Amino acid sequence: MWTCPDIVDFFLMSTKVLIIGACGQIGTELTAALQTTYGALNVIASDIRKSDNDVFADSPFEILDATNKEQIRACIEKHQITDVYLMAALLSAKAEKNPEFAWELNMNSLLYVLDFAKDKLIEKVFWPSSIAVFGKNSPKVQTPQHTIMDPSTVYGISKLSGERWCEYYHKNHGVDVRSVRYPGIISWKARPGGGTTDYAVEIFHEALEKGSYTCFLKEDTALPMMFMDDAVRATISIMNAESSAIKIRSSYNISATSFTPKELTSEIQKLLPDFTIEYAPDFRQQIADSWPESIDDTDAANDWNWSAHFDTKAIVAEMIENLR
Ligand code: SER
């Protein structure tokens, strides 16, 4: 006899996930969480090269170039994928150094995956956007969901364009695409690469290895930040929400905490009193100056019950305990 749990189990079992860009900072931990939800054999991890993180020992792994539409199609067909998590992207700082490739990777990969969903090759898409969609003319504090955008980085332009495409494919082709605007993500399992918020991860490694850190942002630069566990939980919960609950099909603001390098330093010094910091701002300062200081995530809270668990103090405690 069919009971509710049987139906839930059936849907979980019939879900087959492909993560594109699985070896990155977020992809690595998202892969582990999805393995727990769907079973390791139902999670196909893929990236341009394989990392040696243990998480990839348990799941099938495919070498996949996110700019190659036919490679993605072949992988989806081979594994009968239902849900794609498209995590491959060039982040803000790296994208400024290589704008053409950033545009190609960040934009084309999304359009390919949206096309596969439009053609019913897959059922559901997760694609991350970023606080980088906002710019100098956006309100800086508690930046609202809907406001002036004006991104000034290649990365931000690609993310805002991506958001518009997501909404367009949902409205015009019924594509079930879901997205959140990640703030800076702080984690200890895999390092970030090429972002402006990366200082908030580097600082912990150097505090423990060297006792000091030279920060590439000024001491009073406030940015929205989030612990990885919250970021992964947001990702999986928006994907598991009822489709009718997802009222925003561009991308949702999500928020956890916000701090400056100086505030982060004083939290770290509570646990590592000898830690010292110096400041040597570089080109990333200008990027950070164009982004919000904090984010209003009321829509995500109302529509799919989003709320963060980790504040700055809890993040610092987790980072130091785990990196030690
Ligand atoms: N963490 C990203 C970056 O710094 C923002 O989404 O580029």
Side-chain angles (χ1 to χ4, degrees):
M1 193 182 82
W2 282 100
T3 62
C4 271
D6 286 339
I7 292 170
V8 171
D9 285 349
F10 174 77
F11 280 114
L12 285 178
M13 277 164 52
S14 62
T15 300
K16 206 120 190 247
V17 169
L18 171 65
I19 304 149
I20 301 176
C23 297
Q25 184 198 14
I26 302 175
T28 300
E29 299 204 34
L30 184 61
T31 300
L34 291 169
Q35 287 169 344
T36 306
T37 308
Y38 297 110
L41 294 179
N42 292 318
V43 176
I44 316 302
S46 75
D47 210 310
I48 192 87
R49 62 187 76 83
K50 192 172 179 180
S51 100
D52 55 11
N53 194 297
D54 288 348
V55 82
F56 303 112
D58 295 336
S59 278
F61 192 95
E62 298 281 353
I63 298 290
L64 195 64
D65 174 358
T67 64
N68 187 326
K69 189 172 188 178
E70 291 318 309
Q71 259 187 34
I72 304 174
R73 183 201 301 279
C75 184
I76 287 172
E77 285 174 346
K78 174 178 167 191
H79 294 283
Q80 296 183 310
I81 298 297
T82 58
D83 298 4
V84 171
Y85 292 72
L86 175 55
M87 310 307 287
L90 225 58
L91 293 186
S92 59
K94 252 194 183 163
E96 290 307 299
K97 304 281 182 200
N98 199 347
E100 279 136 36
F101 178 64
W103 182 256
E104 187 193 344
L105 173 63
N106 296 5
M107 231 41 274
N108 291 355
S109 59
L110 174 62
L111 289 171
Y112 298 155
V113 171
L114 290 174
D115 272 339
F116 294 142
K118 175 186 153 202
D119 296 343
K120 309 271 183 262
L121 217 60
I122 51 176
E123 291 166 16
K124 229 193 253 185
V125 178
F126 177 81
W127 172 81
S129 185
S130 160
I131 55 164
V133 293
F134 298 110
K136 272 210 153 80
N137 298 318
S138 314
K140 264 200 159 328
V141 177
Q142 288 296 103
T143 308
Q145 174 71 39
H146 300 289
T147 186
I148 297 172
M149 309 302 280
D150 295 355
S152 55
T153 61
V154 175
Y155 178 66
I157 296 168
S158 73
K159 288 295 180 186
L160 184 56
S161 308
E163 287 190 7
R164 298 288 88 223
W165 279 120
C166 287
E167 193 183 281
Y168 182 90
Y169 270 75
H170 176 74
K171 281 210 172 121
N172 294 293
H173 304 300
V175 166
D176 190 356
V177 55
R178 301 160 186 223
S179 175
V180 295
R181 293 170 176 156
Y182 289 133
I185 306 296
I186 303 175
S187 68
W188 51 272
K189 284 190 189 151
R191 300 282 283 257
T196 301
T197 56
D198 293 12
Y199 93 84
V201 176
E202 285 173 10
I203 194 170
F204 290 99
H205 288 269
E206 304 227 350
L208 288 161
E209 282 159 27
K210 300 185 194 151
S212 64
Y213 177 61
T214 303
C215 184
F216 57 75
L217 297 182
K218 289 188 206 154
E219 64 174 20
D220 58 352
T221 312
L223 288 171
M225 299 281 181
M226 181 177 286
F227 192 50
M228 180 62 83
D229 296 35
D230 276 334
V232 166
R233 205 165 41 76
T235 307
I236 292 181
S237 60
I238 194 174
M239 282 297 269
N240 286 342
E242 286 294 328
S243 183
S244 57
I246 308 301
K247 302 198 175 80
I248 294 172
R249 293 295 182 154
S250 51
S251 190
Y252 277 92
N253 277 6
I254 55 168
S255 154
T257 186
S258 178
F259 52 71
T260 65
K262 191 177 177 185
E263 288 162 350
L264 180 59
T265 299
S266 66
E267 277 303 326
I268 293 174
Q269 284 167 336
K270 287 182 189 162
L271 300 176
L272 304 172
D274 296 331
F275 172 62
T276 58
I277 186 157
E278 280 173 40
Y279 297 94
D282 65 15
F283 74 101
R284 288 168 280 193
Q285 183 64 46
Q286 216 186 340
I287 300 177
D289 286 342
S290 75
W291 288 354
E293 289 180 8
S294 59
I295 297 286
D296 176 0
D297 59 2
T298 310
D299 284 295
N302 289 344
D303 291 358
W304 44 279
N305 287 325
W306 158 251
S307 76
H309 293 171
F310 291 83
D311 62 10
T312 306
K313 192 179 153 84
I315 294 173
V316 170
E318 288 282 335
M319 288 298 285
I320 292 182
E321 189 188 318
N322 285 294
L323 287 176
R324 247 190 192 134

